[in-house]
Amino acid sequence: MNWADYKRQITALDQTEIEQLEIVAQLISRRKKLGITQYELAERSGLKQSAIARLEREGAVPRLDTLEKVSHALGLKIALIDENSATKEYATQF
C-alpha cells in the first residue's frame, strides 16, 4: 500500500478510532520497554499470541475489553479524559 492510500484510510477513521489506535501504540511501546514477548503478554492477558500480533499490527480498531486485558497485563490502566480537557492520557501506570 502506498502512502496516499494509507493516508486516505487513516482519515476515514473517526476521532474515537484514532484515539484507540493511539492507545495501541502506547501498549506496544510499553511491552517493548518491559522486554516481554508477544507470547508472554498473551499469557499474562489471557489472550492468544495471534490476538496480540493482530492488535500490534494496528490494522483494525480493537475491542475495549481487549485493550483492558492487555493494558492490565502490562501494569497499566486506561483513563478516559474529558474531551474538553487540554491533555489526553490513555494508558497510565497503576
Side-chain angles (χ1 to χ4, degrees), residues 31-48:
R31 179 185 68 78
K32 290 179 179 180
K33 182 179 177 181
L34 293 174
I36 62 174
T37 66
Q38 288 182 349
Y39 181 80
E40 290 169 323
L41 179 56
E43 289 284 310
R44 291 181 185 190
S45 64
L47 299 170
K48 293 183 178 183

Side-chain angles (χ1 to χ4, degrees), residues 31-73:
R31 179 185 68 78
K32 290 179 179 180
K33 182 179 177 181
L34 293 174
I36 62 174
T37 66
Q38 288 182 349
Y39 181 80
E40 290 169 323
L41 179 56
E43 289 284 310
R44 291 181 185 190
S45 64
L47 299 170
K48 293 183 178 183
Q49 184 276 328
S50 59
I52 301 300
R54 274 192 307 277
L55 174 76
E56 290 192 2
R57 272 196 306 268
E58 300 182 68
V61 178
R63 293 178 12 181
L64 183 56
D65 64 324
T66 301
L67 290 175
E68 289 175 339
K69 288 175 184 177
V70 172
S71 63
H72 183 74

Side-chain angles (χ1 to χ4, degrees), residues 30 34 44 69-77 92-94:
R30 174 72 170 181
L34 293 174
R44 291 181 185 190
K69 288 175 184 177
V70 172
S71 63
H72 183 74
L74 292 169
L76 303 171
K77 65 179 179 176
T92 59
Q93 291 186 24
F94 284 124

